[in-house]
């Protein structure tokens, strides 16, 4: 997932496989456990994996990307075990606060 955004702590990102009706929460206002306003740094450029050593929710690098590399999602991707790659997948990105800007630049399975 690659997202250009000026305050990643505002983001909520969810992946859904429509045919199975299964969803996984990838990000939910990262940095909130560490700061009441979330991670105030810019950009996301990461690969989500259940076996990643670092949790995305707990990362907030000062230099972009704030969330980068291989990170563990907020909710397990294991909910998709056995799901075919074929089908309709959606990635929903929400900015839960005003005054910041951003754009989904790329994503893939």
């Amino acid at each position: 997932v690659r997202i250009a955004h000026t305050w990643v702590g505002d983001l909520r990102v969810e992946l859904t496989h429509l045919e199975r009706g299964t969803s996984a929460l990838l990000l939910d206002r990262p940095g909130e456990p560490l700061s009441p306003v979330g991670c105030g740094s810019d950009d996301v450029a990461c690969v989500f994996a259940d076996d990643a050593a670092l949790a995305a929710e707990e990362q907030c690098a000062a230099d972009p990307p704030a969330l980068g590399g291989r990170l563990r999602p907020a909710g397990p991707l294991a909910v998709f075990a056995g799901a075919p790659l074929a089908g309709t997948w959606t990635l929903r990105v929400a900015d839960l606060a005003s005054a910041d800007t951003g754009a989904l630049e790329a994503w893939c399975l």
Side-chain angles (χ1 to χ4, degrees):
V1 174
R2 196 169 65 235
I3 302 170
H5 195 277
T6 56
W7 192 285
V8 300
D10 292 347
L11 297 177
R12 185 173 197 277
V13 181
E14 184 176 38
L15 178 65
T16 301
H17 187 274
L18 291 180
E19 285 80 9
R20 289 189 94 192
T22 307
S23 296
L25 189 58
L26 303 180
L27 287 176
D28 189 16
R29 300 186 69 120
E32 269 200 6
L34 306 173
S35 165
V37 294
C39 177
S41 296
D42 299 349
D43 305 334
V44 175
C46 64
V47 173
F48 291 102
D50 285 345
D51 63 351
L54 301 173
E57 296 293 307
E58 298 171 2
Q59 305 308 303
C60 185
D63 293 324
L67 306 177
R70 186 175 158 88
L71 299 174
R72 199 169 51 252
L77 295 172
V79 298
F80 300 120
L85 284 177
T88 306
W89 293 83
T90 61
L91 185 72
R92 184 173 166 212
V93 179
D95 182 339
L96 301 176
S98 60
D100 299 301
T101 60
L104 175 63
E105 294 181 329
W107 72 284
C108 66
L109 296 175

